[in-house]
Amino acid sequence: MHQCECNSRCLFPQMQMRFDGLLGFPGGFVNLQKETLETGLSRELWEELGVAIPISVEDHVVSCLAPALFSSTSSSCLITHLYVKRMEEEQILEVERAAASTAKDHGHEVLGMIRVPLYTIKGEGGLASFLSHSFIGNARSQLVESLLQSYMPATSQGLPITAHAYNLCPFT
Ligand SMILES: O=c1[nH]cnc2c1ncn2[C@@H]1O[C@H](COP(=O)(O)OP(=O)(O)O)[C@@H](O)[C@H]1O
């Protein structure tokens, strides 16, 4: 996930329309015998976005064990790791341009990058409507979790607010 943090603290979260018609974050499988989570994610970002984006452990937000149902093979489990990379607005615009032109996976695995609407519109629309779309795996709760952490990093007890506190099942 990429967020722009400008002087006015506006957020510009980015997701992508996948080849299967579901919304998700840029990323993919990492083989830990060959690379670390961070180098694997940087590799996937290069393929899907067409821009070199170095990822470090400091960008990690949350990890989650997915039910076997969401793994590619029913006998193995899947652990999802969410990283949030904060970028300047100009860098985000560069990512949007490259993702739609030079990125290797554009038009194949990735159909396009999408800005998440963080506003509300009277009646319906905005973020509420966006969340009602279909997401891959636990991407919906990953989005909510990262937004909560960006806007409300800690509760009064100093504990991070999680999607669970908002009764969101991570895999629905
Ligand atoms: O944005 C995401 N959030 C959470 N889980 C995801 C996301 N994207 C993919 N996954 C999970 O990872 C699995 C593999 O995803 P994908 O097929 O995109 O990886 P690949 O491109 O490395 O083959 C998916 O079946 C899904 O369970």
Side-chain angles (χ1 to χ4, degrees):
M1 176 182 191
H2 308 98
Q3 289 184 345
C4 157
E5 204 154 354
C6 50
N7 291 339
S8 56
R9 289 191 59 75
C10 65
L11 291 174
F12 228 54
Q14 298 263 321
M15 293 190 80
Q16 64 188 18
M17 177 58 72
R18 295 163 46 93
F19 67 96
D20 51 14
L22 299 173
L23 295 170
F25 292 105
F29 284 118
V30 172
N31 182 345
L32 288 176
Q33 285 167 348
K34 291 189 182 159
E35 56 193 351
T36 65
L37 285 175
E38 291 76 27
T39 51
L41 178 54
S42 300
R43 173 184 53 72
E44 288 281 352
L45 293 180
W46 169 253
E47 289 170 9
E48 295 184 359
L49 304 178
V51 174
I53 302 173
I55 300 295
S56 68
V57 280
E58 285 76 36
D59 301 319
H60 177 259
V61 173
V62 68
S63 297
C64 183
L65 179 64
L69 176 67
F70 288 91
S71 310
S72 48
T73 61
S74 54
S75 56
S76 62
C77 63
L78 179 73
I79 301 175
T80 60
H81 304 276
L82 176 69
Y83 289 73
V84 173
K85 186 79 182 171
R86 291 187 170 75
M87 303 170 103
E88 300 294 327
E89 185 173 1
E90 192 45 51
Q91 290 176 288
I92 299 256
L93 296 177
E94 186 197 348
V95 168
E96 288 180 325
R97 281 192 290 268
S101 53
T102 54
K104 174 176 153 278
D105 288 346
H106 178 66
H108 307 286
E109 287 191 29
V110 184
L111 303 185
M113 295 301 292
I114 290 171
R115 291 186 187 186
V116 177
L118 291 186
Y119 43 81
T120 54
I121 297 175
K122 227 176 178 181
E124 58 180 38
L127 182 59
S129 290
F130 187 84
L131 291 173
S132 73
H133 292 308
S134 296
F135 292 76
I136 179 80
N138 62 341
R140 181 192 286 109
S141 70
Q142 288 178 323
L143 172 63
V144 172
E145 181 106 30
S146 57
L147 292 178
L148 288 172
Q149 292 209 7
S150 298
Y151 281 115
M152 297 174 277
T155 65
S156 52
Q157 288 85 36
L159 297 170
I161 297 174
T162 69
H164 295 289
Y166 282 75
N167 260 342
L168 282 167
C169 173
F171 285 90
T172 54

